[in-house]
Amino acid sequence: MNFISTYKIIAESDIFKSFIKNNPEAELVAGFFILDLLENNNQRSLDYKIQQKIFTFSLNENNEITMREDELIQSDKPLEKIYSDIRIDLDEVSNIAEKEAIKNNIRNKFQKIIAILQLHEGKEVWNLTCMLDNLIILNIIIDSETREIIKFDRKSMADFIVKR
């Protein structure tokens, strides 16, 4: 499972071709992937923006495509167009994340990776949320051109528990 093959399958589908024919102004704004390393319950989708609407094209394990339309959630950081010609893909990104974890003395086993290909501060990046055993959560942002680690942050689920 990777971005490039997901993009090709979706772009070559009848549902997508019809969508683009009717909406030539649609812009690819995100790739969304869930790598479930324990149960192999992976997910993959691409998001396209038209004005204040998001159209999500999802692929299931049989490469069947569904399209869902949602209202765009307002944010102080608007979604910006990304491009399909990336240098590093999802399989390499997960290896980079694991190596960076080891470099930061984190040896826990990766269980799930939520990976979003998006624009961040003018750069196309992989924004990863990695769930490891022992309730460790890593947020890693990797430049999709240079492989540079832009951000590495370690949290624990206990950090999210609100004490009252």
Side-chain angles (χ1 to χ4, degrees):
M1 172 174 69
N2 61 38
F3 173 80
I4 293 170
S5 64
T6 300
Y7 177 81
K8 286 179 181 177
I9 292 167
I10 290 173
E12 293 170 1
S13 71
D14 290 338
I15 189 171
F16 182 78
K17 287 177 183 176
S18 175
F19 168 77
I20 285 297
K21 181 179 178 184
N22 294 324
N23 303 284
E25 74 281 14
E27 295 182 331
L28 176 62
V29 294
F32 181 84
F33 300 85
I34 298 177
L35 303 172
D36 188 334
L37 305 171
L38 295 178
E39 298 177 17
N40 202 26
N41 186 17
N42 300 318
Q43 296 179 29
R44 52 194 168 150
S45 63
L46 301 179
D47 292 339
Y48 285 80
K49 180 178 86 166
I50 303 173
Q51 297 169 12
Q52 296 304 310
K53 294 199 181 291
I54 291 288
F55 294 84
T56 300
F57 292 85
S58 299
L59 278 173
N60 67 16
E61 60 278 349
N62 298 321
N63 287 337
E64 297 167 332
I65 300 169
T66 56
M67 182 183 79
R68 188 180 77 240
E69 176 183 341
D70 289 312
E71 293 294 319
L72 185 63
I73 297 172
Q74 294 302 316
S75 169
D76 56 343
K77 295 180 181 178
L79 293 173
E80 297 180 59
K81 183 177 181 175
I82 63 170
Y83 298 93
S84 60
D85 56 344
I86 60 171
R87 284 192 182 240
I88 62 170
D89 212 334
L90 200 51
D91 48 356
E92 191 174 350
V93 166
S94 59
N95 289 334
I96 292 170
E98 290 179 11
K99 288 177 184 174
E100 191 65 19
I102 290 169
K103 197 162 98 177
N104 283 275
N105 294 318
I106 300 168
R107 307 231 186 280
N108 301 70
K109 184 177 179 184
F110 279 65
Q111 296 180 347
K112 191 174 283 191
I113 299 174
I114 300 171
I116 303 170
L117 181 64
Q118 65 186 110
L119 220 56
H120 172 75
E121 298 177 357
K123 294 181 178 182
E124 207 166 85
V125 301
W126 283 102
N127 186 344
L128 308 179
T129 300
C130 308
M131 285 148 269
L132 287 64
D133 57 4
N134 294 330
L135 304 176
I136 292 173
I137 299 173
L138 304 178
N139 178 234
I140 306 170
I141 298 178
I142 304 169
D143 186 310
S144 72
E145 286 288 315
T146 65
R147 295 173 175 79
E148 172 191 3
I149 304 294
I150 296 171
K151 176 182 177 183
F152 182 91
D153 192 24
R154 175 190 173 147
K155 298 268 185 204
S156 169
M157 283 299 283
D159 295 335
F160 297 101
I161 298 172
V162 178
K163 295 180 183 177
R164 295 185 187 236

